[in-house]
Amino acid sequence: MTVPIFVLALVLASALSVYGQFGGGHNEHHHLEEYIDYKAPPHYHWDYAVHDLKHHDIKSQHETRDHDQTKGVYTLLQPDGRKRIVEYVAGKHGVDYKVRYEGHSEHGGIGSYSG
């Protein structure tokens, strides 16, 4: 049984590649490892927004965290036409929410209750 020459070349190239990765070759590559400090205090900021008039999907959110305290606010356009605004602060002792509304409820608006 004869083995095609390209198969033998492929096996030889693979073996040399593996041999070189583990320090056997002359061209050793030193990879830098990323250092992650898992004990560092958390700190982040993010936000997003959606403004889709076709599907009446209008909302946004903003949040920041510094050490043990997380603060944020999110808004959304409710089916009755009012804008709901929720502000929150979370920490060691729980979460505090403050909810308020802007605008007036529109009778017959998208998803409104008509009873």
Side-chain angles (χ1 to χ4, degrees):
M1 177 171 152
T2 60
V3 178
I5 193 76
F6 71 91
V7 173
L8 289 176
L10 181 60
V11 170
L12 181 60
S14 298
L16 289 174
S17 174
V18 169
Y19 181 70
Q21 287 179 5
F22 293 102
H26 296 290
N27 296 327
E28 293 183 27
H29 297 284
H30 297 281
H31 297 284
L32 297 176
E33 293 186 25
E34 180 181 355
Y35 175 74
I36 299 173
D37 184 1
Y38 292 101
K39 294 182 181 181
H43 180 78
Y44 66 81
H45 162 87
W46 67 271
D47 56 23
Y48 80 95
V50 175
H51 193 88
D52 182 357
L53 294 176
K54 180 179 178 184
H55 298 99
H56 307 282
D57 188 12
I58 300 171
K59 58 190 169 196
S60 66
Q61 185 167 358
H62 165 84
E63 184 174 286
T64 60
R65 180 167 179 181
D66 191 13
H67 297 272
D68 291 334
Q69 188 175 50
T70 304
K71 294 180 181 181
V73 61
Y74 69 87
T75 65
L76 63 103
L77 184 62
Q78 298 191 148
D80 66 359
R82 295 182 299 161
K83 182 178 183 180
R84 182 187 332 162
I85 302 161
V86 180
E87 296 175 283
Y88 58 92
V89 177
K92 293 179 187 179
H93 305 292
V95 182
D96 180 33
Y97 295 97
K98 293 181 181 162
V99 181
R100 60 188 169 92
Y101 299 89
E102 288 182 356
H104 299 285
S105 178
E106 298 174 9
H107 182 71
I110 298 167
S112 67
Y113 176 76
S114 56

